[in-house]
Amino acid sequence: MPSEQAFAVERATAASRIALVVAIALVLLAASLPFWGESSWMREFVEIACYFIFAMMWNLLAGYGGMVSIGQQAFFGFGGYAMLMLGNFAGINPFVAIPLGALAAGLVAIPVSFVAFRLSGGYFAIGTWVIAEVFRLSFANVSAVGGGSGTTLTALRGIEKATRESTTYWMALACVVAAIALVYLFLRSKRGLALLAIRDNEVAAESQGIPVARMKLAVYVVAAFGAGLAGALYFVGNLRISPDAAFSVNWTAFAIFMVVIGGIGRIEGPLVGALIFWALNKFLSDYGTWYLLGLGLLAILVTLFFKQGLWGYAQQRWGWSLFPTQRKLLHAQAGAAAASSRG
């Protein structure tokens, strides 16, 4: 039947194929950093990796799922505290406790969702912040983990500094690669399309047979898992945790900044935003309040002149798409010509 073979579906672009090769080379080069790089480089990479993973999860929740939360620091801090308690009290290697802490954050998101999902819109955003404050106050009243002043991760005392830093770095690199790959594969799947349909119109999506409540719960739990992973990883590198540091609203504020600057609803957005945020934090943080004013001014300029973020502008202007999730329907002859030109 000729009509059935008249069209072809393209799911990758030339830019995405080049990006894949470059990414593999960069990951291999980054994996060798502990053998030739300085320890300060590894510490900075771990910090920016935590920011990126957290921003990626916020983008998945809000940019793709349409659930704008300003309380994701609840799971960031919970993952950090779970890792610490498993390491200090249960005798589990802290590096093994990192994914376990993330899993604990994902599990605790299930009962939390019963409260959060009773709210919508702005009430949902404020409600998630209140939940995060409940978490902060709860841990501040637990004397076993130092109360309000916090405590130190003592489970790493027997590990040499060089081994600790290199292992933390490799864990951060693996977590970054896994976060990008899993989110990308999810968004390219049928569930990813269902999530986008829910974001655009919940009623229409449900009328098409999409299980809206179950999908929103799944994304909420996955975002909590990722936030917990970032928190556990951050405090393994930091070696100390406190309620004010773990559950600070600044975590979500910085994530929103990175996603908005880079481009919300795009996988590349948090990556670009995280790099910009790291550069600003690295070179301008010594300027105190001027640094914060600069962050605010940059956010205002981007929202005014680049409404879809810097990467969104680049994608519209030059057609760049490193992680294409959309499918393009091409005529069979055009698809064959494109394939031959690539060959």
Side-chain angles (χ1 to χ4, degrees), residues 204-229:
E206 193 164 16
S207 68
Q208 296 298 315
I210 297 175
V212 173
R214 191 167 60 192
M215 279 295 305
K216 290 177 67 175
L217 175 61
V219 171
Y220 189 75
V221 170
V222 169
F225 176 89
L229 182 67

Side-chain angles (χ1 to χ4, degrees), residues 13 46 166 254 262 313 320 327:
T13 63
V46 171
S166 59
F254 291 152
Y313 173 80
W320 296 349
R327 297 165 176 82

